[in-house]
Amino acid sequence: MSRALFDRRKKLPTTTSSILICIVACFVVLYLAASFKSPRTECSGRKLREEWRYSAKNPQLHVPTDKVALAAVELNNASLSAPGPKLAEFYGLTRDQLWRMAPDGYLHITSANFHYLDWTLNWVNHITEAGITSFIVGCMDERILLELNARGVPTVDMHMGVSTNDLGWGSKDFYRSGEEMVRLNLAVLQFGITVIVQDIDTVWLRDPMEFWERYPRADLFCSSDHYFSTTKDDGLEDSSKVGTVANTGLYVLRPSALNFTKEWLETLATDKLGWEQSTFWDVYLQGYRHLPDDPDRLFEVYRGKLLMGLLPNAVFTSGHIYFVQHLPKKMGYDPYLVHATFQYYGVTGKRHRMRDAFLWTVDPPEYYDTPGGYLAWDFDVPADLLARSPAKNLTSMELDDVLGHLDLINHQLTQIRNALSIAKALNRTLIFNEIWCGQDRWWNPHTGLLPTVEMELPFVCPLDYILEVSLMKPEQKADFDPELEPYIDFRESSFLQNERLPKSVLESELRVEVCDSDDCPTQKDSTSSKRATVHIPPNLTDVELKAALPNLDSHKLLRFSSMRNTFRGFQDPEEGAAFEKKIMYWAALWCCVLPVDDLPGHVWLDLFHDVLPHTDRHGRVWNETHKWVAVQGPD
């Protein structure tokens, strides 16, 4: 909304001024009506909730008399770093409008630019499915604003005008986005409304309202980056046991935290490269004091002026808590929220984890019925490899302690490489299996488990523990060498259990039994029926494989009995070399043991570890006299 509309025309006659005010008022009404669309529209195949609580169930609005909020409303500071009419005007917000949106006094806020449109729609789908109707999306660019308005998603223009591409962690626009979110919080808080602020890579599984109401004394809440629970219940964490490393991917500010938020914003405004999370720490940790006798596990922050609670990890979960430890299930709690942190390969890695956990709702129908069909296989994970994969000495962090884990990973990488080769040869989309790890992965040296984490080893680990999924399916292909661009599509390990998968895919499976030798069954196989079985010899080239599996068009799903000793290579040496060059970078690294001399603590995995001779991604040559072994580094 243009601030010029509100310039006072003191020199105009009274009658003219009155007319002008009426015209301006009409424009304001029309603007607000256009800005906040009706929720009765489709959003990526799901309907937003038909009944908004303020329109039917709560016609009488209740505005609290909190003295802090009332005092804030009276402020008339033209600065956009302070609460007051000018700040609300900047966003086109009014007290009545916000209280109609959030009749219970709680408003969920997230923000995104167009690059995260799919994440935004996924967030909207989950929050509405959880029964939460009081929410708004801050739009960083005009393109996402138009897209969301067209879908009926409640929005507010943040007037940032940033790029529609990924802002990039640590970029100028990245830091600016954090500052602008805090500014938007301040604009809402001044009207006595509690803000629940979350990153766009979160999903809500149920309404947290009852949780907030358990703690009426709290002024603010925040999630944390700790990967364990300090309690046996679903109450707030014990700050004396986890420290105070808050993660602003989810935080809650009550109106009593207005001055805190103002100081937070002022701190950000003085440092244009200030990260909103670190400055949050700087402000709230002033005067931090643990209160050992507090019945709610609240603690003092902000020079003793506020009470804060760290949200329980068991129900407001991080990526490690939810996707790796499965802590809520172990403790018997239903989580409120999942935040896709603690993974290793950016937005692509986060999206893959969401899909694997059935938390991604915005894939189109063709994702589940792809032309060309799918390729799956029976994974071979020997019990003896599983048994010796955990470290024998849980107090040591030496390379010898991780060799069993790496043997288990290499056994799986061989099968994955063959599966990728066959998927390319047959032009099929590959469906991954669950991956087994004998030890966890972290950014620092560890003994196979993260400090204080209680988790059974070995365990099913995410795909990004062993493969660089961001290279396999990059967000922006221009960021990568064109010669290394991926060309083999893939699906998550839970894909065949997804309820959106058409029955026709499962009903048209062809099972491919790989014989132990060239002496396969003599009976003639048929591929004509929808659910058939065919036998093929082991160790075929791509050309031989195509000849052994003709007439596959009627089978949407091929399932191989094995990927061990199944593929001998590409008949054309140039094609084989090009394939190796393309996927050699897809293997990830495992981290970490203790550094030795000048060597870092990580070990690079190798999809071609058992192919001799071959040259790895770092130019190291492995052959019959110098077979692949686990070595630390390079950087």
Side-chain angles (χ1 to χ4, degrees):
M1 185 180 299
S2 173
R3 281 173 282 173
L5 292 176
F6 290 84
D7 290 341
R8 295 185 178 183
R9 315 296 192 195
K10 292 184 178 180
K11 295 183 179 181
L12 290 176
T14 304
T15 303
T16 305
S17 299
S18 301
I19 295 173
L20 182 58
I21 291 172
C22 292
I23 293 173
V24 170
C26 291
F27 274 111
V28 171
V29 171
L30 290 173
Y31 177 86
L32 295 178
S35 298
F36 289 85
K37 302 290 184 178
S38 167
R40 301 173 183 270
T41 54
E42 291 291 328
C43 178
S44 185
R46 288 192 183 189
K47 282 190 176 182
L48 297 176
R49 291 177 63 86
E50 294 286 339
E51 293 186 0
W52 288 72
R53 287 175 288 179
Y54 64 76
S55 63
K57 300 179 181 179
N58 291 284
Q60 300 298 321
L61 302 181
H62 170 67
V63 180
T65 57
D66 183 281
K67 61 181 180 180
V68 177
L70 289 177
V73 173
E74 298 302 319
L75 292 175
N76 189 15
N77 192 330
S79 170
L80 294 181
S81 293
K86 288 293 183 181
L87 183 59
E89 172 193 319
F90 178 73
Y91 294 111
L93 301 173
T94 67
R95 170 196 286 269
D96 289 344
Q97 182 186 63
L98 287 168
W99 276 96
R100 284 196 301 273
M101 293 183 64
D104 292 326
Y106 290 83
L107 182 65
H108 288 258
I109 305 178
T110 191
S111 62
N113 72 336
F114 183 76
H115 182 76
Y116 291 92
L117 177 63
D118 58 342
W119 282 92
T120 306
L121 297 178
N122 191 62
W123 181 86
V124 170
N125 284 344
H126 279 284
I127 201 169
T128 54
E129 187 73 15
I132 303 168
T133 59
S134 300
F135 66 88
I136 196 167
V137 179
C139 297
M140 298 182 190
D141 64 72
E142 185 177 5
R143 191 174 178 187
I144 191 171
L145 180 69
L146 295 174
E147 289 282 352
L148 295 181
N149 283 344
R151 290 169 167 84
V153 177
T155 59
V156 61
D157 189 349
M158 297 179 72
H159 302 289
M160 291 182 62
V162 299
S163 168
T164 58
N165 297 322
D166 189 4
L167 300 184
W169 201 101
S171 68
K172 181 179 179 180
D173 281 338
F174 169 82
Y175 291 125
R176 183 182 166 211
S177 67
E179 178 183 346
E180 294 302 326
M181 175 57 83
V182 179
R183 195 186 317 279
L184 178 57
N185 296 340
L186 193 61
V188 177
L189 279 173
Q190 68 174 333
F191 294 120
I193 292 176
T194 296
V195 294
I196 306 163
V197 186
Q198 57 250 231
D199 285 352
I200 202 63
D201 61 343
T202 57
V203 297
W204 287 99
L205 303 182
R206 59 188 179 109
D207 192 339
M209 181 64 75
E210 65 86 18
F211 186 89
W212 315 135
E213 292 178 343
R214 283 191 225 170
Y215 304 99
R217 298 166 49 240
D219 300 294
L220 67 160
F221 304 90
C222 195
S223 62
S224 76
D225 273 331
H226 293 279
Y227 34 81
F228 57 92
S229 178
T230 61
T231 70
K232 299 299 182 182
D233 56 41
D234 63 343
L236 295 172
E237 298 288 352
D238 183 342
S239 65
S240 69
K241 296 180 180 178
V242 301
T244 53
V245 182
N247 184 309
T248 53
L250 172 64
Y251 60 91
V252 181
L253 301 172
R254 284 192 164 130
S256 53
L258 184 77
N259 288 332
F260 163 84
T261 308
K262 181 176 181 293
E263 185 170 333
W264 183 14
L265 179 59
E266 291 171 345
T267 303
L268 282 167
T270 59
D271 182 2
K272 292 303 179 182
L273 294 181
W275 182 23
E276 100 278 1
Q277 180 164 292
S278 60
T279 53
F280 180 87
W281 301 341
D282 294 339
V283 179
Y284 93 82
L285 284 176
Q286 298 176 41
Y288 163 79
R289 187 165 72 95
H290 176 62
L291 303 176
D293 298 324
D294 190 277
D296 295 326
R297 305 186 193 121
L298 298 172
F299 52 94
E300 287 185 358
V301 295
Y302 191 49
R303 300 185 288 276
K305 297 178 181 180
L306 300 178
L307 290 176
M308 178 174 171
L310 283 178
L311 295 173
N313 292 330
V315 288
F316 296 93
T317 63
S318 68
H320 197 276
I321 294 285
Y322 190 84
F323 297 117
V324 179
Q325 295 183 47
H326 307 290
L327 187 61
K329 184 177 180 180
K330 293 176 182 177
M331 295 183 66
Y333 295 119
D334 293 325
Y336 292 104
L337 173 131
V338 179
H339 188 190
T341 56
F342 282 93
Q343 64 80 49
Y344 299 95
Y345 295 109
V347 175
T348 307
K350 294 183 178 186
R351 188 183 292 108
H352 187 83
R353 285 201 187 183
M354 290 288 191
R355 283 173 170 148
D356 224 350
F358 305 109
L359 296 178
W360 191 254
T361 64
V362 294
D363 282 318
E366 55 267 27
Y367 183 86
Y368 301 95
D369 196 358
T370 300
Y374 304 96
L375 172 67
W377 81 98
D378 297 343
F379 216 25
D380 174 57
V381 185
D384 65 314
L385 282 179
L386 288 170
R388 60 185 180 86
S389 59
K392 294 181 180 179
N393 185 355
L394 292 180
T395 63
S396 175
M397 291 181 277
E398 308 295 335
L399 184 60
D400 286 347
D401 298 304
V402 76
L403 296 182
H405 165 69
L406 295 177
D407 287 344
L408 173 62
I409 296 303
N410 282 341
H411 184 82
Q412 296 170 90
L413 286 177
T414 297
Q415 298 173 68
I416 290 172
R417 183 193 69 233
N418 288 337
L420 289 167
S421 304
I422 293 174
K424 179 189 181 302
L426 300 179
N427 194 27
R428 293 262 166 169
T429 295
L430 182 63
I431 302 172
F432 278 99
N433 288 286
E434 290 183 334
I435 306 299
W436 282 87
C437 290
Q439 300 185 35
D440 208 344
R441 178 179 174 179
W442 201 28
W443 290 274
N444 298 302
H446 60 92
T447 62
L449 285 173
L450 274 60
T452 73
V453 168
E454 296 179 2
M455 191 171 71
E456 186 175 344
L457 300 176
F459 66 102
V460 174
C461 55
L463 185 66
D464 58 83
Y465 269 41
I466 68 169
L467 294 178
E468 294 198 25
V469 292
S470 58
L471 293 180
M472 298 165 67
K473 191 178 289 185
E475 291 294 301
Q476 300 178 57
K477 291 185 178 180
D479 292 342
F480 299 91
D481 186 337
E483 293 185 1
L484 304 179
E485 285 183 6
Y487 63 117
I488 301 172
D489 204 359
F490 62 93
R491 297 291 184 265
E492 62 277 9
S493 65
S494 64
F495 179 75
L496 295 177
Q497 288 76 52
N498 196 298
E499 62 182 13
R500 296 184 64 189
L501 186 74
K503 290 183 179 180
S504 59
V505 174
L506 297 174
E507 292 172 349
S508 63
E509 176 182 327
L510 174 64
R511 182 163 184 82
V512 181
E513 290 285 348
V514 181
C515 301
D516 292 332
S517 66
D518 292 337
D519 187 19
C520 279
T522 57
Q523 72 268 25
K524 184 177 181 181
D525 293 309
S526 173
T527 62
S528 59
S529 62
K530 286 190 174 181
R531 285 193 172 181
T533 300
V534 63
H535 293 76
I536 63 170
N539 297 314
L540 299 181
T541 66
D542 60 321
V543 175
E544 294 168 339
L545 188 64
K546 292 176 184 178
L549 296 171
N551 306 319
L552 296 178
D553 292 345
S554 61
H555 297 281
K556 295 184 178 181
L557 175 62
L558 300 185
R559 183 184 292 277
F560 277 62
S561 63
S562 174
M563 282 296 171
R564 297 185 63 200
N565 304 317
T566 303
F567 190 73
R568 192 167 79 248
F570 291 92
Q571 191 160 303
D572 182 347
E574 291 186 2
E575 186 175 4
F579 175 78
E580 180 175 350
K581 183 178 180 181
K582 285 178 183 291
I583 73 167
M584 70 186 308
Y585 294 95
W586 291 7
L589 58 77
W590 179 85
C591 187
C592 287
V593 294
L594 289 171
V596 176
D597 298 327
D598 294 330
L599 295 175
H602 59 255
V603 176
W604 284 98
L605 305 177
D606 190 346
L607 275 164
F608 295 88
H609 66 96
D610 58 336
V611 176
L612 301 175
H614 86 277
T615 303
D616 69 15
R617 65 191 298 169
H618 301 292
R620 297 175 297 199
V621 177
W622 307 98
N623 51 41
E624 290 290 347
T625 58
H626 185 50
K627 295 183 178 181
W628 189 93
V629 293
V631 292
Q632 294 178 220
D635 290 330

PDB file of all heavy atoms in Angstrom, residues 186 193 339:
ATOM      1  N   LEU A 186       6.836  -7.999  14.373  1.00  0.00           N
ATOM      2  CA  LEU A 186       6.589  -6.811  15.181  1.00  0.00           C
ATOM      3  C   LEU A 186       5.276  -6.139  14.785  1.00  0.00           C
ATOM      4  O   LEU A 186       4.516  -5.669  15.646  1.00  0.00           O
ATOM      5  CB  LEU A 186       7.761  -5.835  15.014  1.00  0.00           C
ATOM      6  CG  LEU A 186       7.862  -4.674  16.006  1.00  0.00           C
ATOM      7  CD1 LEU A 186       8.027  -5.193  17.425  1.00  0.00           C
ATOM      8  CD2 LEU A 186       9.040  -3.774  15.629  1.00  0.00           C
ATOM      9  N   ILE A 193      -1.436  -9.988  19.317  1.00  0.00           N
ATOM     10  CA  ILE A 193      -1.558 -11.338  18.766  1.00  0.00           C
ATOM     11  C   ILE A 193      -0.234 -12.074  18.914  1.00  0.00           C
ATOM     12  O   ILE A 193       0.833 -11.537  18.604  1.00  0.00           O
ATOM     13  CB  ILE A 193      -1.987 -11.290  17.291  1.00  0.00           C
ATOM     14  CG1 ILE A 193      -3.430 -10.767  17.194  1.00  0.00           C
ATOM     15  CG2 ILE A 193      -1.874 -12.658  16.623  1.00  0.00           C
ATOM     16  CD1 ILE A 193      -3.921 -10.588  15.777  1.00  0.00           C
ATOM     17  N   HIS A 339      10.643 -30.598  11.349  1.00  0.00           N
ATOM     18  CA  HIS A 339      11.491 -29.606  10.689  1.00  0.00           C
ATOM     19  C   HIS A 339      12.634 -30.349  10.001  1.00  0.00           C
ATOM     20  O   HIS A 339      13.365 -31.100  10.648  1.00  0.00           O
ATOM     21  CB  HIS A 339      12.038 -28.623  11.721  1.00  0.00           C
ATOM     22  CG  HIS A 339      12.764 -27.459  11.119  1.00  0.00           C
ATOM     23  ND1 HIS A 339      13.500 -26.563  11.875  1.00  0.00           N
ATOM     24  CD2 HIS A 339      12.875 -27.029   9.839  1.00  0.00           C
ATOM     25  CE1 HIS A 339      14.027 -25.641  11.094  1.00  0.00           C
ATOM     26  NE2 HIS A 339      13.669 -25.913   9.841  1.00  0.00           N
TER      27      HIS A 339
END
